[in-house]
Amino acid sequence: MSRWTIAARITLIVVVSLTAVWVAAIAAIYRFTADESARERPSPAHVAAVAELVERAPPSLRALALEAASSPQFALRLLPAGVAAAASGPSVADDVRRDYAAALGDRGLVLEWRPTLPIGRRFPRLAGALSNALEFRIALHDGQTLLIDTRGAMMVARSGVPVGLLAGLFGTLVALVALLVMYRETKPLARLAAAVDAIDLSGESAPLPRPGGNAPEVRALVAAFERLQARLGSLMRARMALIGGISHDVRTFATRLRLRVEAIADEAERRRAIADIDDMIRLLDDALLSSRAGAGELARELVDVSALVRAEVEDRAQSGSVVDASISSAAGSVVLGDRLALRRIIANLVDNALKYGHAAHVSVVARGGCVEIAVEDEGPGIPEAQWAQMLEPFSRLETSRSRGTGGAGLGLAIVRGLVEAHGGEATIGRAAKGARVAVTLPLFEGG
């Protein structure tokens, strides 16, 4: 098992990548000046003039003439008569040799490529001799041999490609390998992110990726997420058990209190007390329903939302409320969800419209694989800047928190939570006379 930390791996990746970039940049500079370097080969007239100068110089001044004509790219030396230089490289093409031989006249000429780099000797197929590195062996009239080694300031292979380009290609390959290594190191993190997004605390623990050869930090991170998932699941189950127990006990106490309230002689006081108890029970039911939705414990059955809308509207119309419904496609409004939760969504929307907008105009439209339930009121509306805020818990336009001017500010927040638990979306907008609150739910597609 590898002990390389992720910091060490990323450091190695960065260093190798930067090295590859620098080598590639140097190779690019070589490549842009390759043609100029290739043209630095000495001209035939220049070589002939040097040979003539050495021949005419007195023996005592020949060493000085050689030094005067030499340069780092044009090295001269004399071999004594009867000593020939050993062959050191491949022969030059006939057309190149012919030009030099013509300029030298009757002097003998041996012209070869001069492999000045070790890579040219060890890997001739890869680098070969250099196109601007020539070795001239000129037979002078006095029997001595003038040896001239030439090369350009830049090493260029016979193909015209700078030798540095090979290093650039190698650096590019190294950079590609570095990218592959980086991809291999980060891929488990992407799989872990996808697995964490798929965690469902209401069911079995989701399997997380098992990185075997990755960095210790990645393995530790996966193990930490597994422990976190187990703890969250345990907390969720404990919370649901606690809420269920509290709900049962509070409902029992509320029922007893309701029986005692019936004994209140004052009719107005009795109605107010009964309304407070009903609100308390409703708030408790909403909290319990929202907790079930958050824990993924909602039931799943086929529900016709048009029928639910019609029933809620008729129930409130019988009590004298200003409410109506427009259902354009009753046959296409079947969703897969929790009947109680869907009914609570519709009830909260209608009750909010009646409480704050004095009327509720409900419409049901099925289109694009979804059904939209919209409720419009005739109130003052909701400022656009507060549309998103009103879907949050305990948010009210009226900030006094008085029960006489509104509820606890949970109605729309519960709607949003229940709708999102069904894979839908809740939005607030502007109606012709007031506010418009709409929810979109995915239709059930059989088969």
Side-chain angles (χ1 to χ4, degrees), residues 346-421:
I346 300 169
N348 281 10
L349 292 180
V350 174
D351 290 343
N352 266 22
L354 292 174
K355 182 180 293 185
Y356 301 107
H358 317 298
H361 306 290
V362 188
S363 63
V364 180
V365 179
R367 57 172 175 265
C370 296
V371 58
E372 181 190 69
I373 306 170
V375 180
E376 299 181 0
D377 61 40
E378 298 179 3
I382 301 174
E384 184 175 354
Q386 294 184 266
W387 286 354
Q389 179 184 348
M390 295 307 298
L391 294 174
E392 298 295 330
F394 306 106
S395 295
R396 295 172 51 187
L397 288 178
E398 202 281 323
T399 58
S400 68
R401 313 307 302 173
S402 171
R403 296 288 293 175
T405 58
L410 290 174
L412 293 181
I414 291 172
V415 167
R416 189 189 71 170
L418 296 178
V419 168
E420 291 179 350

Side-chain angles (χ1 to χ4, degrees), residues 48-408:
V50 170
E52 183 76 16
L53 175 63
V54 173
E55 278 187 333
R56 292 188 179 186
S60 60
L61 297 177
R62 282 192 174 182
L64 185 61
L66 292 175
E67 184 176 354
S70 295
S71 70
Q73 287 78 40
F74 197 81
L76 304 177
R77 59 193 178 99
L78 275 176
L79 300 179
V83 177
S88 58
S91 300
V92 179
D94 291 341
D95 56 343
V96 177
R97 187 183 183 284
R98 189 182 307 114
D99 293 339
Y100 287 105
L104 291 171
D106 58 348
R107 299 182 183 90
L109 173 65
V110 177
L111 183 60
E112 295 178 340
W113 298 113
R114 178 172 175 264
T116 58
L117 294 180
I119 191 173
R121 293 194 296 269
R122 298 176 184 176
F123 307 99
R125 292 177 179 266
L126 181 62
L130 302 177
S131 63
N132 55 1
L134 293 173
E135 183 179 83
F136 297 83
R137 293 195 296 277
I138 305 171
L140 302 180
H141 292 149
D142 59 0
Q144 290 185 308
T145 300
L146 175 63
L147 188 65
I148 304 177
D149 288 335
T150 68
R151 66 177 181 181
M154 183 181 302
M155 298 302 173
V156 183
R158 294 178 59 183
S159 60
V161 178
V163 176
L165 186 59
L166 298 176
L169 293 175
F170 175 75
T172 302
L173 293 177
V174 171
L176 292 176
V177 173
L179 290 176
L180 292 176
V181 173
M182 179 177 291
Y183 173 77
R184 178 182 177 275
E185 293 300 320
T186 57
K187 189 175 181 180
L189 298 179
R191 293 201 305 267
L192 176 61
V196 171
D197 287 337
I199 288 178
D200 182 8
L201 298 179
S202 62
E204 297 294 330
S205 298
L208 299 181
R210 297 287 183 180
N214 291 94
E217 291 90 343
V218 176
R219 297 194 296 272
L221 181 62
V222 172
F225 268 106
E226 286 182 336
R227 295 190 296 271
L228 176 62
Q229 182 180 198
R231 287 197 296 268
L232 289 177
S234 177
L235 290 174
M236 181 65 70
R237 290 189 294 270
R239 188 187 75 166
M240 291 305 301
L242 177 63
I243 292 177
I246 293 176
S247 174
H248 178 270
D249 292 342
V250 172
R251 187 179 293 275
T252 301
F253 295 145
T255 303
R256 294 176 184 174
L257 185 60
R258 176 73 177 268
L259 293 176
R260 293 194 178 112
V261 165
E262 295 292 342
I264 297 177
D266 189 292
E267 179 68 21
E269 289 294 334
R270 185 170 63 251
R271 283 199 304 269
R272 283 195 293 269
I274 291 175
D276 287 342
I277 294 173
D278 290 341
D279 286 344
M280 180 179 64
I281 294 176
R282 183 185 180 91
L283 181 62
L284 181 65
D285 290 341
D286 284 346
L288 182 61
L289 193 58
S290 297
S291 298
R292 288 174 52 205
E297 295 186 359
L298 294 178
R300 287 291 184 266
E301 61 177 303
L302 295 180
V303 181
D304 187 351
V305 295
S306 296
L308 291 182
V309 169
R310 193 178 293 109
E312 293 294 326
V313 169
E314 291 176 355
D315 182 60
R316 284 156 182 77
Q318 290 176 0
S319 63
S321 300
V322 182
V323 58
D324 59 74
S326 172
I327 302 175
S328 63
S329 180
S333 58
V334 177
V335 302
L336 182 64
D338 187 293
R339 180 178 297 274
L340 179 60
L342 293 172
R343 185 174 180 179
R344 185 56 53 86
I345 291 171
I346 300 169
N348 281 10
L349 292 180
V350 174
D351 290 343
N352 266 22
L354 292 174
K355 182 180 293 185
Y356 301 107
H358 317 298
H361 306 290
V362 188
S363 63
V364 180
V365 179
R367 57 172 175 265
C370 296
V371 58
E372 181 190 69
I373 306 170
V375 180
E376 299 181 0
D377 61 40
E378 298 179 3
I382 301 174
E384 184 175 354
Q386 294 184 266
W387 286 354
Q389 179 184 348
M390 295 307 298
L391 294 174
E392 298 295 330
F394 306 106
S395 295
R396 295 172 51 187
L397 288 178
E398 202 281 323
T399 58
S400 68
R401 313 307 302 173
S402 171
R403 296 288 293 175
T405 58

Side-chain angles (χ1 to χ4, degrees), residues 23-40 154-156 160-165:
V23 172
I26 295 173
I29 296 174
Y30 271 103
R31 187 66 187 93
F32 290 141
T33 57
D35 294 338
E36 179 181 353
S37 178
R39 290 193 296 268
E40 291 181 0
M154 183 181 302
M155 298 302 173
V156 183
V161 178
V163 176
L165 186 59

